[in-house]
Amino acid sequence: MGDVRIVGRMTPEFAQILTEPALDFVASLHREFNLRRKQLLERRAERQQAIDAGHFPDFLPETAHIRESEWRVAPTPPDLEDRRVEITGPVDRKMMINALNSGARVFMADFEDALSPTWDNVVQGQINLRDAVRRTISFESPDGRVYRLADKTATLVVRPRGWHLVERHVLVDGEPISASLFDFGLYFFHNAHELLARNTGPYFYLPKLESHLEARLWNDVFNFAQDRLGIPRGTIRATVLIETILAAFEMDEILWELRDHAAGLNAGRWDYIFSVIKKFRRHREFLLPDRAQVTMTVPFMRAYTELLVRTCHRRGAHAIGGMAAFIPSRRDPQVNEIALAKVREDKEREAKDGFDGTWVAHPDLVPVALEVFDRVLGEQPHQKHRLREDVQVTARDLLDVRVPGGRITEGGLRNNVSVALQYLDSWLRGQGAAAIFNLMEDTATAEISRAQLWQWRFHRAELDDGRPVTAELYVQIRDEELTKLGGEVAGRLREAREILDRLVLDDEFTEFLTYLAYEYID
Amino acid sequence: MWSLPQAVTDPNELRETPLLPPGYRVPASRWIHPSTRLRQLLETLPYVFAPGVYDPHGAQLVMYYGFPAVYFSGYSFAIGHLGTTDMDLYSSVEIADAARRIVAGLRKFQLTMAVGDPEKGIPPKHLHIPPVVADMDTGYGNLFNVQRTTELYVTAGVAGAHIEDQVMPKRCGHIAGKALIPAQEMVGKLKMMRAVANDLGNPDFVIIARTDGVSAVDAPEAKRGLPLAIERALRYLDSGVPDLVWCEFPTSERGPLETFVEEVRKRFPDARFAFNWSSSFKWFTDPNPISFRELGEMGVRFIFITLAAQHAMGLGFSELLQHLAARQERAYIDLQKREWAEGTDFPTRSHHFFSGVPYHHLLGQVYDAPRLGTQFEEELPEEAVV
């Protein structure tokens, strides 16, 4: 097997997943592809330097022929044909059963933004997936309620962690294994044959891609993995999240690279906003107003989502809408009503724009989204025939981040501080998806909050009352918000504060908050 | 032909073969398929340089001097075997047969050299067999001609081949008036090559996609010149087939080559290139001719001089002929003096040695055909032959 070491906890149950052949398989993926992964990460840094120096992205001249010529991705497998509502959530056992039973067509089991990647969460997630694939998954809550799968469940799709992350509990030749390859490899190794026997397949969501070269790496990983397990090439299907501004310029190319494995693109809207702030952080003209004002209807978000639909449909791929972050409350009818109305409005716009499906983060939102999409789709599984040839999006449109009437307010500043603190606290305690102020916060939304804080402080952005955002102002508000949350002694807020301070006050922008926070968890 | 008696771990290790008398050995690389060997060389050397030849004799000289690969040039073949130019005037079967003879000649030469000449005290020389990269022009026709030609090449033991995007009949990359087939058609040809090689059990067959886009005067696209060549290269790489791309340039200028490599690498950071260090360029007038080492550093992994052997033969033989005309027999005596001068290493000075008389004598004995060996009833007047 070579030098593969597990430095995380082992239990008899974990050993069923972390078997020698399975580890051998993920280690072979790592050995084959890790160098390229690292080179691609270096490339991200180089592109960042270019952007810092004022070279803004554009559609790539070297791939013009891919954008201009006619081709289509592989045909969609039957159980991914109708994706009108997809539910997302972490690989937590109870939540998985609820999500699979929710009535949504697809469930995306998430190792990424909705999961705090503690070793236990990650390995337990693989155990849960194994049981879900074999339909033996069940859960008994402390109050004695038993959760089981219904007869008809959602199609399972798995989101491994992004290329930037490692899983430090497994060392291959002394080096932490790529988290993407670990998550993908274990799920694929244990379940690919079983999934095929059950007339479905190994389906994935690929997060945080920044270029078609990163898509190519995934495609090569898929080919290698399929060859190794003796499964025909093209069996895997992947939907790519377009959630970085750079990927928005390469949507055609990403589909092209994955064409034998591509199932669609998803408008990963929250990370997209984060990416815009992050990539153009050095340029004052990219200052964004309060997070709540950066809605899906502002021009640059419209441009990106409409381009996504057009691109997908031209290539025969599904276009899936983003997650509405609002969550209903079973206790507060007024909150509930507002949340449902906002979700409905959001989904109506998506369905009208041509999306073939959308995301919800809570089972109670499935009926709302279904109703909207049922109305538009009717008996048809999707609306790929709507080619949206009316959409004309230029590089300028994608980069024009002006928000009409946009303002930065003290309230927005406070909200960002409080959300970031609460989310970090939750993440450190092993919960990667947290309801905060009636919104479902995951890593992506928390990233927006902390990135805005850095951006505003770095550029000394002016609040609408004329005060500049300074380090002092941040510290003052951070202390006040911390007190409201119960002070540093509550939960893991002291460490959350430490992390947030570094994220906001360091002159160098930290690429991912998980880089820092991963040091704090087991 | 290349079935392994046992797994080859070290290609330099010396092993016995039934085709040599007991005690004589050859490098184990003999049992590595030429395509696999070429891939290994492309992976490990800073660049693979291959002089261009047109016949087995030239290829054997390339092998004798230890070059990693042999380039079998179509133009040279046209000149050397047909006495004509490079405009699709020979057929796939003719050139594939020549390629087969070159590959076979190299395998034979390894045995010849592994014997040396025991009688004359010339020690064995252990040479690796250089993989042969052959010119496939346009495939000598359309898609199905490509299918047939590839099959002929692969079964001939050719390690890899290049195919270009010109219309048929093609012309040398440095003759004006080239026209291109549609990119899609070329991609189909590339895919066909890969399919045939895979079908024949040689997935390692190295495929080089050549574009003549830079100096083509006619192509379906609107673009012309370097942008067209770059676009073509990207399209070909997008098919996933080519192991290397080669852009045929009209001059030895570095700028276009650098731009080409840079642009292709934006999209294919790991792309590998082939470069024709062409005899058509007047390198001696270039104040700063690009070196093989520089090319290697740029990502060019395969470098070749198409007409190396043809020009050397033309020059060398012309000189001899001029001298013969002027000085008759004295000129040939001078040639022989040069061949036999002390301290020189011209393996061809003895055509018997070079072509393997000692090898055949020894093997004749081993295989019980003494008449083919040296054991005659009467002594053979050894000193009478060289």
Side-chain angles (χ1 to χ4, degrees):
Chain A
M1 186 160 85
D3 184 16
V4 182
R5 265 186 308 143
I6 296 175
V7 292
R9 184 171 88 95
M10 272 301 264
T11 70
E13 217 188 357
F14 283 18
Q16 294 170 7
I17 288 294
L18 303 164
T19 61
E20 192 165 319
L23 288 171
D24 197 18
F25 178 73
V26 294
S28 69
L29 288 174
H30 181 85
R31 289 189 179 117
E32 185 74 22
F33 296 108
N34 194 46
L35 180 67
R36 273 175 66 194
R37 179 185 77 90
K38 290 203 281 195
Q39 286 169 341
L40 287 168
L41 293 177
E42 276 169 32
R43 202 179 161 94
R44 285 187 185 176
E46 284 162 18
R47 284 179 99 180
Q48 183 64 54
Q49 281 173 0
I51 293 171
D52 288 350
H55 302 290
F56 291 104
D58 199 346
F59 296 100
L60 304 175
E62 67 267 24
T63 48
H65 66 276
I66 291 175
R67 292 192 300 279
E68 286 157 14
S69 57
E70 293 306 321
W71 47 269
R72 290 167 76 80
V73 299
T76 313
D79 58 344
L80 283 179
E81 195 68 46
D82 186 336
R83 306 176 62 173
R84 62 187 72 198
V85 178
E86 303 191 345
I87 187 165
T88 74
V91 284
D92 170 278
R93 207 162 176 87
K94 187 181 98 179
M95 282 199 245
M96 275 178 66
I97 299 171
N98 282 341
L100 285 164
N101 288 341
S102 67
R105 299 291 198 275
V106 168
F107 163 51
M108 186 194 80
D110 192 9
F111 282 97
E112 221 234 0
D113 278 0
L115 188 82
S116 168
T118 64
W119 176 240
D120 281 4
N121 279 351
V122 167
V123 184
Q124 188 61 49
Q126 291 284 353
I127 293 171
N128 298 343
L129 285 171
R130 179 200 61 193
D131 297 345
V133 167
R134 289 162 182 78
R135 300 186 64 85
T136 58
I137 190 169
S138 66
F139 177 77
E140 194 175 338
S141 69
D143 60 13
R145 278 197 295 172
V146 179
Y147 295 75
R148 286 187 208 291
L149 290 186
D151 283 346
K152 193 169 181 302
T153 51
T155 299
L156 184 61
V157 176
V158 171
R159 176 160 76 169
R161 281 171 280 176
W163 282 132
H164 60 294
L165 294 172
V166 295
E167 174 51 65
R168 66 153 192 262
H169 299 93
V170 176
L171 304 179
V172 179
D173 309 323
E175 187 184 32
I177 192 167
S178 150
S180 309
L181 297 175
F182 183 74
D183 297 344
F184 160 78
L186 279 183
Y187 176 69
F188 184 76
F189 183 83
H190 286 297
N191 303 297
H193 286 291
E194 183 71 27
L195 286 160
L196 289 175
R198 291 174 180 272
N199 287 324
T200 176
Y203 302 146
F204 298 92
Y205 256 107
L206 304 179
K208 295 190 174 45
L209 266 55
E210 296 199 6
S211 80
H212 68 288
L213 300 181
E214 297 178 15
R216 183 183 298 162
L217 179 56
W218 271 118
N219 198 60
D220 292 345
V221 168
F222 292 164
N223 282 333
F224 181 94
Q226 289 166 144
D227 292 352
R228 266 296 166 97
L229 262 64
I231 287 170
R233 290 186 174 197
T235 303
I236 291 174
R237 280 296 189 285
T239 307
V240 177
L241 288 136
I242 300 298
E243 53 186 352
T244 67
I245 176 75
L246 298 177
F249 286 93
E250 300 182 29
M251 290 195 263
D252 267 319
E253 291 86 340
I254 286 169
L255 285 174
W256 169 255
E257 294 293 345
L258 284 158
R259 58 197 178 278
D260 296 332
H261 298 111
L265 299 178
N266 174 295
R269 49 173 75 170
W270 306 117
D271 252 328
Y272 190 80
I273 297 169
F274 164 56
S275 163
V276 168
I277 301 169
K278 171 160 84 173
K279 289 290 158 191
F280 307 119
R281 61 207 184 211
R282 296 267 161 188
H283 301 283
R284 198 180 162 83
E285 63 270 33
F286 285 88
L287 270 179
L288 286 180
D290 281 2
R291 196 183 113 169
Q293 284 186 284
V294 187
T295 63
M296 293 311 294
T297 56
V298 303
F300 78 97
M301 294 302 281
R302 291 288 294 160
Y304 137 72
T305 50
E306 293 204 303
L307 179 62
L308 188 144
V309 172
R310 186 191 160 137
T311 307
C312 283
H313 287 185
R314 181 176 173 205
R315 306 306 181 188
H318 278 72
I320 310 294
M323 187 180 82
F326 300 101
I327 46 175
S329 163
R330 287 177 182 167
R331 284 187 296 269
D332 187 338
Q334 207 185 341
V335 166
N336 211 14
E337 203 176 304
I338 295 169
L340 292 182
K342 287 196 167 177
V343 170
R344 190 171 291 118
E345 184 191 335
D346 184 53
K347 301 307 171 197
E348 274 167 356
R349 192 193 52 257
E350 286 181 334
K352 196 164 124 287
D353 282 351
F355 279 99
D356 304 295
T358 190
W359 271 15
V360 296
H362 193 285
D364 288 358
L365 294 177
V366 172
V368 184
L370 261 181
E371 180 204 316
V372 174
F373 272 84
D374 282 347
R375 215 164 39 225
V376 173
L377 298 182
E379 294 295 307
Q380 295 174 334
H382 52 72
Q383 48 181 339
K384 286 186 199 167
H385 60 277
R386 289 189 54 203
L387 294 176
R388 294 305 314 270
E389 280 168 342
D390 55 307
V391 173
Q392 297 296 334
V393 173
T394 64
R396 214 193 165 89
D397 298 327
L398 290 174
L399 295 177
D400 179 4
V401 300
R402 282 172 301 181
V403 173
R407 288 185 311 161
I408 301 172
T409 66
E410 186 186 319
L413 185 61
R414 280 191 188 282
N415 185 67
N416 277 342
V417 171
S418 186
V419 165
L421 286 172
Q422 291 182 63
Y423 181 76
L424 281 166
D425 171 52
S426 162
W427 198 88
L428 295 174
R429 290 197 275 162
Q431 291 287 333
I436 302 170
F437 302 140
N438 300 312
L439 294 178
M440 184 62 86
E441 299 286 347
D442 68 2
T443 312
T445 53
E447 290 277 31
I448 300 177
S449 289
R450 67 92 183 184
Q452 285 206 305
L453 292 171
W454 185 93
Q455 189 195 33
W456 293 347
R457 180 200 59 79
F458 184 82
H459 292 290
R460 294 175 66 89
E462 277 189 10
L463 297 181
D464 57 352
D465 60 14
R467 281 178 299 159
V469 179
T470 59
E472 294 70 33
L473 182 62
Y474 158 75
V475 169
Q476 179 205 325
I477 285 179
R478 177 255 278 156
D479 284 343
E480 289 168 16
E481 292 303 316
L482 203 53
T483 309
K484 285 187 206 163
L485 298 172
E488 287 199 349
V489 289
R492 296 186 68 172
L493 279 170
R494 188 188 54 74
E495 290 148 303
R497 197 265 302 151
E498 249 175 55
I499 296 169
L500 186 61
D501 281 359
R502 282 170 67 190
L503 293 170
V504 176
L505 298 175
D506 277 5
D507 264 347
E508 280 307 314
F509 186 91
T510 305
E511 290 290 320
F512 294 97
L513 69 82
T514 44
Y515 279 169
L516 294 185
Y518 193 43
E519 294 164 20
Y520 287 78
I521 61 169
D522 291 331
Chain B
M1 197 196 292
W2 291 284
S3 64
L4 304 181
Q6 47 194 298
V8 174
T9 45
D10 176 4
N12 297 309
E13 193 195 315
L14 298 179
R15 292 195 186 162
E16 295 200 343
T17 158
L19 291 178
L20 283 173
Y24 288 91
R25 294 180 302 170
V26 286
S29 62
R30 181 176 181 84
W31 295 283
I32 300 175
H33 191 284
S35 298
T36 312
R37 176 106 181 116
L38 178 57
R39 276 182 195 274
Q40 289 170 351
L41 294 168
L42 288 168
E43 288 295 331
T44 50
L45 297 179
Y47 56 84
V48 172
F49 170 67
V53 305
Y54 55 93
D55 63 4
H57 182 245
Q60 288 170 340
L61 275 168
V62 169
M63 174 166 164
Y64 182 84
Y65 287 106
F67 287 90
V70 163
Y71 177 72
F72 178 30
S73 144
Y75 202 157
S76 304
F77 175 72
I79 297 172
H81 291 257
L82 282 82
T84 187
T85 190
D86 188 19
M87 291 198 192
D88 266 327
L89 293 165
Y90 53 84
S91 69
S92 66
V93 182
E94 285 174 278
I95 190 167
D97 186 53
R100 184 185 54 71
R101 284 184 274 112
I102 287 174
V103 174
L106 293 174
R107 291 187 66 79
K108 185 62 177 293
F109 190 62
Q110 186 179 53
L111 303 172
T112 303
M113 286 294 125
V115 165
D117 189 344
E119 299 285 328
K120 292 203 168 63
I122 299 176
K125 199 170 165 79
H126 299 297
L127 298 171
H128 292 290
I129 300 168
V132 176
V133 175
D135 189 342
M136 203 198 263
D137 290 340
T138 62
Y140 311 104
N142 292 317
L143 187 68
F144 302 122
N145 304 91
V146 170
Q147 182 179 7
R148 181 164 183 228
T149 309
T150 308
E151 184 173 326
L152 291 169
Y153 276 23
V154 172
T155 53
V158 168
H162 61 77
I163 187 165
E164 68 207 32
D165 52 10
Q166 287 194 51
V167 298
M168 166 110 182
K170 58 94 44 143
R171 41 185 67 204
C172 160
H174 301 102
I175 299 178
K178 291 184 292 179
L180 304 193
I181 58 172
Q184 206 52 38
E185 189 183 340
M186 175 66 173
V187 167
K189 287 184 169 187
L190 288 166
K191 286 181 176 168
M192 176 60 88
M193 286 177 78
R194 181 62 79 216
V196 170
N198 288 349
D199 180 64
L200 290 169
N202 181 14
D204 280 345
F205 190 73
V206 172
I207 296 174
I208 303 172
R210 160 172 152 179
T211 179
D212 282 81
V214 174
S215 50
V217 291
D218 194 15
E221 292 96 328
K223 286 183 185 132
R224 286 290 175 269
L226 191 55
L228 175 59
I230 291 165
E231 185 174 301
R232 285 288 181 121
L234 293 171
R235 283 196 180 209
Y236 303 158
L237 284 169
D238 265 328
S239 71
V241 172
D243 298 293
L244 301 119
V245 275
W246 162 22
C247 178
E248 184 73 316
F249 292 101
T251 68
S252 66
E253 242 188 304
R254 288 161 187 253
L257 169 66
E258 283 166 356
T259 309
F260 178 79
V261 167
E262 206 174 290
E263 290 299 317
V264 170
R265 285 210 151 177
K266 277 187 190 163
R267 190 163 144 58
F268 292 94
D270 305 325
R272 300 190 290 189
F273 303 89
F275 182 75
N276 178 8
W277 211 89
S278 172
S279 316
S280 297
F281 304 149
K282 303 287 179 290
W283 289 106
F284 58 96
T285 64
D286 189 325
N288 184 19
I290 194 158
S291 68
F292 296 170
R293 191 176 55 78
E294 285 175 298
L295 286 166
E297 284 164 3
M298 285 172 70
V300 177
R301 285 282 163 277
F302 187 69
I303 305 167
F304 50 103
I305 300 181
T306 41
L307 292 154
Q310 191 274 330
H311 276 278
M313 151 41 184
L315 174 72
F317 195 38
S318 294
E319 277 181 353
L320 174 69
L321 292 172
Q322 286 170 10
H323 296 153
L324 282 170
R327 303 174 42 236
Q328 280 98 66
E329 77 288 344
R330 298 309 309 171
Y332 201 79
I333 291 167
D334 285 350
L335 176 91
Q336 288 198 320
K337 277 187 187 161
R338 282 170 62 201
E339 273 186 323
W340 290 92
E342 203 157 328
T344 59
D345 170 27
F346 294 112
T348 49
R349 62 185 164 196
S350 163
H351 47 268
H352 288 336
F353 169 69
F354 194 80
S355 61
V357 171
Y359 168 77
H360 286 94
H361 280 169
L362 274 183
L363 210 69
Q365 289 163 27
V366 171
Y367 279 87
D368 303 319
R371 190 169 56 79
L372 303 178
T374 51
Q375 286 154 15
F376 299 94
E377 302 241 340
E378 289 171 46
E379 275 294 292
L380 194 74
E382 285 278 348
E383 67 285 358
V385 292
V386 289

